Amino acid sequence: MNRWISPELFAAFEAGETTAHRLFTGPNVWVERLGRDVLISFKTDAARDAALSELRQWEASAGFQSARVFSRFLPKQNAERVAPVLIEGDAEAALHAVVTERGVRYGIDFGAGYSAGLFLDQRANRAFVRQRAPKRLLNTFAYTCSFSVVAALAGAQTVSVDLSKKSLDRGRENFALNNLPLEGHRFLADDVLDVLPRLERRGEKFDVIILDPPTFSRGNRGRRWQVEEQIEDLLRAALELAEPGAAILISTNCTKLDRRALEQAARFALKTARRGGDFHTEPPLPDFPPGEGAQTLWLHLR
Ligand SMILES: C[S@@+](CC[C@H](N)C(=O)[O-])C[C@H]1O[C@@H](n2cnc3c(N)ncnc32)[C@H](O)[C@@H]1O
């Protein structure tokens, strides 16, 4: 049971109003708690079955009882991704749920596809944005807009950009869940690579910019996005929109790009733009073993 979070850490999450966190990380499987539900993500059936039986032991030690258990297969190819499957609990219950992270509410939808709505490995970066209290946040590849929500709670105006209108609709729902009016917030269902030059032509500037792209995708007109080839171009475009003193989050799940590679790409982009900057990374999360989760880096412009 040594890869399960301790009952003490679980109690600390509860006390901190965080109901969305990892429970377990193994070589072929990880387990997340999402409110009253649990999601097992697995590469092999044996790893899923072992995690399910250990979950019961862990629940008894931590004093938690999950309402439902979902599982989802982790395929090698994105095209093979499917929505989670209910393996224990009430099949009639709604697939929607609400989780909290440091008291902030986010909607979860187990029926929405492969991802249920919140990337837990960005918890520290969301906390950093909230504490920094930006005036104007640009959230690219925004998905369900969790970064926009924390910025808005801190008083920011926000622009959220994502190809998926459905994800942005869920972003608006996340604003509503936190009683945030939509005034001062824009949701652009468009390709980031088309939106950034448009914002630049309009002279728009931001003091925090989130760059958390997928490894691979197809954008407008079938245009191919491949993070390791285009991260520098993305950074250059973002620099045109960044005020002096702005902070830019650079984040990726691409295994070919580690923190050093991200910093190198950022240094090249800075050089081209004739700007200077410093870097920091938030401390590791207590529920993620070293090397697990997205690689992330904050660039602080001078
Ligand atoms: C890894 S998720 C981003 C997660 C998000 N930053 C968060 O923390 O919740 C990637 C998102 O990028 C969007 N996306 C992919 N290619 C895009 C593009 N070219 N322009 C805009 N959005 C894109 C997808 O629809 C998806 O919602």
Side-chain angles (χ1 to χ4, degrees), residues 191-258:
D191 189 326
V192 167
L193 300 181
D194 289 335
V195 171
L196 297 192
R198 212 184 299 150
L199 294 174
E200 188 200 339
R201 283 196 295 277
R202 287 199 202 132
E204 297 209 29
K205 295 284 182 206
F206 299 87
D207 55 348
V208 173
I209 300 178
I210 306 297
L211 304 177
D212 179 24
T215 300
F216 176 83
S217 78
R218 292 250 175 227
N220 283 348
R221 303 171 296 280
R223 180 171 50 203
R224 196 167 159 275
W225 163 264
Q226 185 83 47
V227 69
E228 66 267 37
E229 288 166 18
Q230 281 152 288
I231 188 78
E232 243 181 84
D233 292 342
L234 179 67
L235 270 156
R236 267 193 286 271
L239 285 175
E240 298 298 331
L241 300 170
E243 280 179 354
I248 302 181
L249 175 67
I250 312 162
S251 173
T252 182
N253 281 305
C254 176
T255 46
K256 290 184 196 150
L257 290 173
D258 59 10

Coordinates of all heavy atoms in Angstrom, one line a residue, residues 191-258:
D191 N -9.1 28.3 -33.2 CA -7.7 27.8 -33.1 C -6.8 28.8 -32.5 O -6.7 30.0 -32.9 CB -7.3 27.5 -34.6 CG -6.0 26.7 -34.6 OD1 -5.1 26.9 -33.8 OD2 -5.9 25.9 -35.6
V192 N -6.1 28.4 -31.5 CA -5.1 29.3 -30.8 C -4.2 30.0 -31.8 O -3.9 31.2 -31.7 CB -4.3 28.5 -29.7 CG1 -3.1 29.3 -29.2 CG2 -5.3 28.1 -28.5
L193 N -3.7 29.2 -32.8 CA -2.7 29.7 -33.7 C -3.3 30.8 -34.6 O -2.6 31.6 -35.1 CB -2.2 28.6 -34.6 CG -1.5 27.5 -33.8 CD1 -0.9 26.4 -34.7 CD2 -0.4 28.0 -32.9
D194 N -4.6 30.9 -34.7 CA -5.3 32.0 -35.5 C -5.6 33.1 -34.5 O -5.6 34.3 -34.9 CB -6.6 31.5 -36.2 CG -6.3 30.6 -37.3 OD1 -5.1 30.7 -37.9 OD2 -7.1 29.7 -37.7
V195 N -6.0 32.8 -33.3 CA -6.4 33.8 -32.3 C -5.3 34.7 -31.9 O -5.4 35.9 -31.8 CB -7.1 33.2 -31.1 CG1 -7.4 34.2 -30.0 CG2 -8.4 32.5 -31.5
L196 N -4.1 34.1 -31.6 CA -3.0 34.9 -31.0 C -2.6 36.1 -31.9 O -2.5 37.2 -31.5 CB -1.8 34.1 -30.7 CG -2.0 33.0 -29.6 CD1 -0.7 32.4 -29.1 CD2 -2.8 33.5 -28.4
P197 N -2.4 35.9 -33.3 CA -2.0 37.0 -34.1 C -3.2 38.1 -34.2 O -2.9 39.3 -34.2 CB -1.8 36.4 -35.5 CG -1.7 34.9 -35.3 CD -2.3 34.6 -34.0
R198 N -4.4 37.6 -34.1 CA -5.6 38.5 -34.1 C -5.5 39.4 -32.9 O -5.7 40.6 -32.9 CB -6.8 37.7 -34.1 CG -8.0 38.4 -34.9 CD -9.2 37.6 -34.8 NE -9.1 36.2 -35.4 CZ -9.8 35.2 -35.0 NH1 -10.6 35.2 -34.0 NH2 -9.6 34.0 -35.6
L199 N -5.3 38.8 -31.7 CA -5.2 39.6 -30.5 C -4.1 40.6 -30.5 O -4.2 41.7 -30.1 CB -5.0 38.7 -29.3 CG -6.2 37.7 -28.9 CD1 -5.8 36.8 -27.8 CD2 -7.4 38.5 -28.5
E200 N -3.0 40.2 -31.2 CA -1.8 41.1 -31.3 C -2.1 42.3 -32.2 O -1.8 43.4 -31.8 CB -0.6 40.3 -31.9 CG 0.7 41.1 -31.9 CD 1.7 40.6 -32.9 OE1 1.7 39.5 -33.3 OE2 2.6 41.5 -33.2
R201 N -2.8 42.0 -33.3 CA -3.2 43.1 -34.2 C -4.1 44.1 -33.5 O -4.1 45.3 -33.8 CB -3.9 42.6 -35.5 CG -3.0 41.9 -36.5 CD -3.6 41.8 -37.8 NE -4.7 40.8 -37.8 CZ -4.6 39.5 -37.9 NH1 -3.4 39.0 -38.0 NH2 -5.6 38.7 -37.9
R202 N -4.9 43.6 -32.5 CA -5.8 44.5 -31.8 C -5.1 45.2 -30.7 O -5.6 46.0 -29.9 CB -6.9 43.7 -31.2 CG -7.9 43.3 -32.2 CD -9.2 42.9 -31.4 NE -10.0 42.0 -32.2 CZ -10.6 40.9 -31.7 NH1 -10.4 40.6 -30.5 NH2 -11.3 40.2 -32.5
G203 N -3.8 44.9 -30.5 CA -3.0 45.5 -29.4 C -3.3 45.1 -28.0 O -3.1 45.7 -27.0
E204 N -3.9 43.8 -27.9 CA -4.3 43.3 -26.6 C -3.1 42.9 -25.8 O -2.1 42.3 -26.4 CB -5.3 42.2 -26.7 CG -6.6 42.7 -27.3 CD -7.8 41.9 -26.9 OE1 -7.8 41.4 -25.7 OE2 -8.7 41.8 -27.7
K205 N -3.0 43.1 -24.5 CA -1.9 42.7 -23.7 C -2.4 42.0 -22.4 O -3.5 42.3 -22.0 CB -1.1 43.9 -23.2 CG -0.4 44.6 -24.4 CD 0.8 43.9 -24.9 CE 1.5 44.7 -26.0 NZ 2.3 43.8 -26.9
F206 N -1.6 41.1 -21.9 CA -2.0 40.3 -20.7 C -0.9 40.2 -19.7 O 0.3 40.2 -20.1 CB -2.4 38.8 -21.2 CG -3.5 38.8 -22.2 CD1 -3.3 39.0 -23.6 CD2 -4.9 38.7 -21.7 CE1 -4.4 39.0 -24.5 CE2 -5.9 38.7 -22.6 CZ -5.7 38.9 -24.0
D207 N -1.3 40.1 -18.5 CA -0.2 39.9 -17.4 C 0.0 38.5 -17.0 O 1.0 38.2 -16.3 CB -0.4 40.9 -16.3 CG -1.7 40.8 -15.6 OD1 -2.6 40.1 -16.1 OD2 -1.9 41.3 -14.5
V208 N -0.9 37.6 -17.3 CA -0.7 36.1 -17.2 C -1.2 35.4 -18.4 O -2.3 35.7 -18.9 CB -1.3 35.5 -15.9 CG1 -1.2 34.0 -15.9 CG2 -0.7 36.1 -14.6
I209 N -0.3 34.5 -18.9 CA -0.7 33.7 -20.1 C -0.5 32.3 -19.8 O 0.6 31.9 -19.3 CB 0.1 34.2 -21.4 CG1 -0.2 35.7 -21.7 CG2 -0.3 33.3 -22.6 CD1 0.6 36.2 -22.9
I210 N -1.5 31.4 -20.1 CA -1.4 30.0 -19.9 C -1.2 29.3 -21.3 O -2.0 29.5 -22.2 CB -2.7 29.4 -19.3 CG1 -3.1 30.2 -18.0 CG2 -2.6 27.9 -19.0 CD1 -2.1 30.1 -16.9
L211 N -0.1 28.6 -21.4 CA 0.2 27.8 -22.6 C 0.2 26.3 -22.1 O 1.3 25.9 -21.6 CB 1.5 28.2 -23.2 CG 1.7 29.7 -23.6 CD1 3.1 29.9 -24.2 CD2 0.6 30.1 -24.6
D212 N -0.8 25.6 -22.3 CA -0.9 24.2 -21.9 C -1.4 23.3 -23.0 O -2.6 22.8 -22.9 CB -1.7 24.0 -20.6 CG -1.8 22.6 -20.1 OD1 -0.9 21.8 -20.4 OD2 -2.8 22.3 -19.4
P213 N -0.7 23.3 -24.1 CA -1.3 22.6 -25.3 C -1.2 21.1 -25.2 O -0.5 20.5 -24.5 CB -0.3 23.1 -26.4 CG 1.0 23.3 -25.8 CD 0.7 23.8 -24.3
P214 N -2.1 20.4 -26.1 CA -2.0 19.0 -26.2 C -0.7 18.6 -26.9 O -0.1 19.5 -27.6 CB -3.2 18.6 -27.0 CG -3.5 19.8 -27.8 CD -3.1 21.0 -27.0
T215 N -0.3 17.3 -26.9 CA 0.9 16.9 -27.6 C 0.6 17.0 -29.1 O 1.4 17.4 -29.9 CB 1.2 15.4 -27.2 OG1 1.5 15.4 -25.8 CG2 2.4 14.9 -27.9
F216 N -0.6 16.5 -29.5 CA -0.9 16.5 -30.9 C -2.4 16.9 -31.1 O -3.2 16.5 -30.3 CB -0.7 15.1 -31.5 CG -1.2 15.0 -32.9 CD1 -0.3 15.4 -33.9 CD2 -2.4 14.5 -33.3 CE1 -0.7 15.3 -35.3 CE2 -2.8 14.4 -34.6 CZ -1.9 14.8 -35.6
S217 N -2.7 17.7 -32.1 CA -4.1 17.9 -32.4 C -4.2 18.4 -33.9 O -3.2 18.7 -34.5 CB -4.8 18.9 -31.5 OG -4.4 20.2 -31.8
R218 N -5.5 18.5 -34.4 CA -5.7 19.1 -35.7 C -6.5 20.4 -35.4 O -7.6 20.4 -34.8 CB -6.6 18.2 -36.5 CG -5.8 17.0 -36.9 CD -5.5 17.0 -38.4 NE -4.6 15.8 -38.8 CZ -3.5 15.9 -39.5 NH1 -3.1 17.1 -40.0 NH2 -2.8 14.8 -39.8
G219 N -6.1 21.5 -35.9 CA -6.7 22.8 -35.7 C -7.6 23.2 -36.9 O -8.0 22.3 -37.7
N220 N -7.8 24.5 -37.1 CA -8.6 25.0 -38.2 C -8.0 24.5 -39.5 O -6.8 24.4 -39.7 CB -8.5 26.5 -38.2 CG -9.5 27.1 -37.2 OD1 -10.3 26.4 -36.6 ND2 -9.3 28.4 -37.0
R221 N -8.8 24.2 -40.5 CA -8.4 23.8 -41.8 C -7.5 22.5 -41.8 O -6.6 22.3 -42.6 CB -7.7 24.9 -42.6 CG -8.6 26.2 -42.8 CD -7.9 27.3 -43.4 NE -6.8 27.8 -42.5 CZ -6.9 28.6 -41.5 NH1 -8.1 29.0 -41.1 NH2 -5.9 29.0 -40.8
G222 N -7.7 21.7 -40.8 CA -7.0 20.4 -40.6 C -5.5 20.6 -40.3 O -4.7 19.7 -40.3
R223 N -5.2 21.9 -39.9 CA -3.7 22.2 -39.6 C -3.3 21.3 -38.4 O -3.9 21.2 -37.4 CB -3.6 23.7 -39.2 CG -2.2 24.1 -38.9 CD -2.0 25.6 -38.8 NE -3.0 26.1 -38.0 CZ -3.4 27.4 -38.0 NH1 -2.9 28.2 -38.9 NH2 -4.4 27.9 -37.2
R224 N -2.1 20.8 -38.6 CA -1.5 19.8 -37.6 C -0.8 20.6 -36.5 O 0.0 21.5 -36.8 CB -0.5 19.0 -38.4 CG 0.0 17.7 -37.8 CD 0.7 16.9 -38.9 NE 1.6 16.0 -38.3 CZ 2.8 16.2 -37.9 NH1 3.3 17.4 -38.1 NH2 3.5 15.3 -37.3
W225 N -1.1 20.3 -35.3 CA -0.4 20.8 -34.1 C 0.5 19.7 -33.5 O -0.1 18.7 -33.1 CB -1.3 21.4 -33.1 CG -0.6 21.6 -31.8 CD1 -0.7 20.8 -30.7 CD2 0.2 22.7 -31.4 NE1 0.1 21.3 -29.7 CE2 0.7 22.5 -30.1 CE3 0.6 23.9 -32.0 CZ2 1.5 23.3 -29.4 CZ3 1.4 24.7 -31.3 CH2 1.9 24.5 -30.0
Q226 N 1.8 19.9 -33.4 CA 2.7 18.9 -32.8 C 3.5 19.7 -31.8 O 4.3 20.5 -32.2 CB 3.5 18.2 -33.9 CG 4.4 17.1 -33.4 CD 3.6 15.8 -33.3 OE1 2.9 15.4 -34.2 NE2 3.7 15.1 -32.2
V227 N 3.4 19.4 -30.5 CA 3.9 20.4 -29.5 C 5.4 20.5 -29.6 O 6.0 21.6 -29.6 CB 3.5 20.0 -28.1 CG1 4.1 18.7 -27.6 CG2 3.8 21.1 -27.1
E228 N 6.2 19.4 -29.9 CA 7.6 19.5 -29.8 C 8.2 20.3 -31.0 O 9.2 20.9 -31.0 CB 8.3 18.2 -29.7 CG 8.2 17.2 -30.8 CD 7.0 16.2 -30.6 OE1 6.0 16.7 -30.1 OE2 7.1 15.1 -31.1
E229 N 7.4 20.4 -32.1 CA 7.8 21.1 -33.3 C 7.4 22.6 -33.2 O 8.0 23.5 -33.8 CB 7.2 20.6 -34.6 CG 7.8 19.2 -35.0 CD 6.9 18.5 -36.0 OE1 6.1 19.1 -36.7 OE2 7.1 17.3 -36.1
Q230 N 6.3 22.9 -32.4 CA 5.7 24.2 -32.5 C 5.8 25.0 -31.2 O 5.3 26.2 -31.2 CB 4.3 24.1 -33.1 CG 4.3 24.0 -34.6 CD 3.0 23.2 -35.0 OE1 2.9 22.0 -34.8 NE2 2.1 23.9 -35.6
I231 N 6.3 24.5 -30.2 CA 6.3 25.2 -28.9 C 7.0 26.5 -29.0 O 6.5 27.5 -28.4 CB 6.8 24.3 -27.7 CG1 6.6 24.9 -26.4 CG2 8.3 23.9 -27.9 CD1 5.3 24.8 -25.8
E232 N 8.1 26.6 -29.7 CA 8.8 27.9 -29.8 C 8.0 28.9 -30.5 O 7.9 30.1 -30.1 CB 10.1 27.6 -30.6 CG 11.3 27.9 -29.7 CD 12.5 27.6 -30.5 OE1 13.0 28.5 -31.3 OE2 13.0 26.5 -30.5
D233 N 7.3 28.5 -31.6 CA 6.4 29.5 -32.4 C 5.3 30.0 -31.4 O 5.0 31.2 -31.4 CB 5.8 28.8 -33.6 CG 6.8 28.5 -34.6 OD1 8.0 29.1 -34.6 OD2 6.6 27.6 -35.5
L234 N 4.7 29.0 -30.7 CA 3.7 29.4 -29.8 C 4.2 30.4 -28.7 O 3.5 31.4 -28.5 CB 3.1 28.1 -29.1 CG 2.0 28.4 -28.0 CD1 0.7 28.8 -28.7 CD2 1.7 27.1 -27.3
L235 N 5.4 30.1 -28.2 CA 5.9 31.1 -27.2 C 6.2 32.4 -27.8 O 5.9 33.5 -27.2 CB 7.3 30.5 -26.7 CG 7.1 29.6 -25.5 CD1 8.3 28.6 -25.4 CD2 7.0 30.5 -24.2
R236 N 6.7 32.5 -29.0 CA 7.0 33.7 -29.7 C 5.7 34.5 -29.9 O 5.7 35.7 -29.6 CB 7.6 33.5 -31.1 CG 9.2 33.5 -31.0 CD 9.8 33.6 -32.3 NE 9.7 32.4 -33.0 CZ 10.6 31.4 -33.0 NH1 11.6 31.6 -32.2 NH2 10.4 30.3 -33.6
A237 N 4.6 33.9 -30.3 CA 3.3 34.5 -30.4 C 2.8 35.1 -29.1 O 2.3 36.1 -29.0 CB 2.3 33.6 -31.1
A238 N 3.0 34.3 -28.0 CA 2.6 34.7 -26.7 C 3.3 35.9 -26.2 O 2.8 36.8 -25.6 CB 2.7 33.5 -25.7
L239 N 4.6 35.9 -26.5 CA 5.5 37.0 -26.0 C 5.0 38.4 -26.6 O 5.1 39.4 -25.9 CB 6.9 36.8 -26.4 CG 7.7 35.8 -25.6 CD1 9.1 35.6 -26.2 CD2 7.8 36.2 -24.1
E240 N 4.4 38.3 -27.8 CA 3.9 39.6 -28.4 C 2.7 40.1 -27.6 O 2.3 41.3 -27.7 CB 3.4 39.3 -29.9 CG 4.5 38.9 -30.8 CD 5.6 39.9 -30.9 OE1 5.3 41.1 -30.8 OE2 6.8 39.5 -31.2
L241 N 2.1 39.2 -26.8 CA 0.9 39.6 -26.1 C 1.2 39.9 -24.6 O 0.3 40.2 -23.8 CB -0.2 38.5 -26.2 CG -0.7 38.2 -27.6 CD1 -1.5 36.9 -27.6 CD2 -1.5 39.4 -28.2
A242 N 2.4 39.7 -24.2 CA 2.7 39.7 -22.8 C 3.3 41.1 -22.4 O 4.2 41.6 -23.0 CB 3.8 38.7 -22.5
E243 N 2.7 41.6 -21.4 CA 3.1 42.9 -20.8 C 4.5 42.8 -20.1 O 4.8 41.6 -19.7 CB 2.2 43.4 -19.7 CG 0.9 44.0 -20.2 CD 0.0 44.4 -19.0 OE1 0.3 44.0 -17.8 OE2 -1.0 45.0 -19.3
P244 N 5.3 43.8 -20.0 CA 6.5 43.7 -19.1 C 6.1 43.2 -17.8 O 5.0 43.6 -17.2 CB 7.0 45.1 -19.1 CG 6.4 45.9 -20.2 CD 5.1 45.2 -20.5
G245 N 6.8 42.3 -17.2 CA 6.5 41.7 -15.9 C 5.5 40.6 -15.9 O 5.1 40.1 -14.8
A246 N 5.0 40.2 -17.1 CA 4.0 39.2 -17.2 C 4.6 37.8 -16.8 O 5.8 37.6 -16.9 CB 3.4 39.1 -18.6
A247 N 3.7 36.9 -16.4 CA 4.1 35.5 -16.2 C 3.4 34.6 -17.2 O 2.2 34.8 -17.5 CB 3.7 35.1 -14.8
I248 N 4.2 33.7 -17.8 CA 3.7 32.8 -18.8 C 3.9 31.3 -18.3 O 5.0 30.9 -18.0 CB 4.4 32.9 -20.2 CG1 4.2 34.4 -20.7 CG2 3.8 32.0 -21.2 CD1 4.9 34.7 -22.0
L249 N 2.8 30.6 -18.2 CA 2.9 29.1 -17.9 C 3.1 28.3 -19.1 O 2.4 28.4 -20.1 CB 1.6 28.6 -17.2 CG 1.6 27.1 -16.9 CD1 2.7 26.8 -15.8 CD2 0.3 26.7 -16.4
I250 N 4.2 27.5 -19.1 CA 4.5 26.6 -20.3 C 4.4 25.2 -19.7 O 5.1 24.9 -18.8 CB 5.9 26.9 -20.8 CG1 6.2 28.4 -21.0 CG2 6.1 26.1 -22.1 CD1 7.7 28.7 -21.1
S251 N 3.5 24.4 -20.3 CA 3.2 23.1 -19.7 C 2.9 22.1 -20.8 O 2.3 22.4 -21.8 CB 1.9 23.3 -18.8 OG 1.5 22.0 -18.4
T252 N 3.4 20.9 -20.6 CA 3.2 19.8 -21.6 C 3.2 18.4 -20.9 O 3.8 18.2 -19.9 CB 4.2 19.9 -22.7 OG1 3.9 18.9 -23.6 CG2 5.6 19.6 -22.2
N253 N 2.4 17.5 -21.6 CA 2.5 16.1 -21.2 C 3.3 15.3 -22.1 O 3.4 14.1 -22.0 CB 1.0 15.5 -21.2 CG 0.3 15.9 -19.9 OD1 0.7 15.7 -18.8 ND2 -0.9 16.6 -20.1
C254 N 3.9 16.0 -23.1 CA 4.7 15.3 -24.1 C 6.0 14.8 -23.5 O 6.8 15.5 -22.9 CB 5.1 16.3 -25.2 SG 6.1 15.6 -26.5
T255 N 6.2 13.4 -23.6 CA 7.3 12.8 -22.9 C 8.7 13.2 -23.5 O 9.7 13.1 -22.9 CB 7.2 11.3 -22.9 OG1 6.8 10.9 -24.2 CG2 6.1 10.8 -21.9
K256 N 8.6 13.8 -24.7 CA 9.9 14.2 -25.4 C 10.3 15.6 -24.9 O 11.4 16.0 -25.2 CB 9.7 14.3 -26.9 CG 9.5 12.9 -27.5 CD 9.4 13.0 -29.0 CE 8.8 11.8 -29.6 NZ 8.1 12.0 -30.8
L257 N 9.5 16.3 -24.1 CA 9.8 17.6 -23.7 C 9.9 17.6 -22.1 O 8.9 17.6 -21.5 CB 8.8 18.6 -24.1 CG 8.7 19.0 -25.6 CD1 7.6 19.9 -25.9 CD2 10.0 19.7 -26.1
D258 N 11.1 17.6 -21.6 CA 11.2 17.8 -20.2 C 11.4 19.2 -19.8 O 11.4 20.1 -20.7 CB 12.4 16.9 -19.6 CG 13.7 17.3 -20.2 OD1 13.8 18.3 -20.9 OD2 14.7 16.6 -20.0

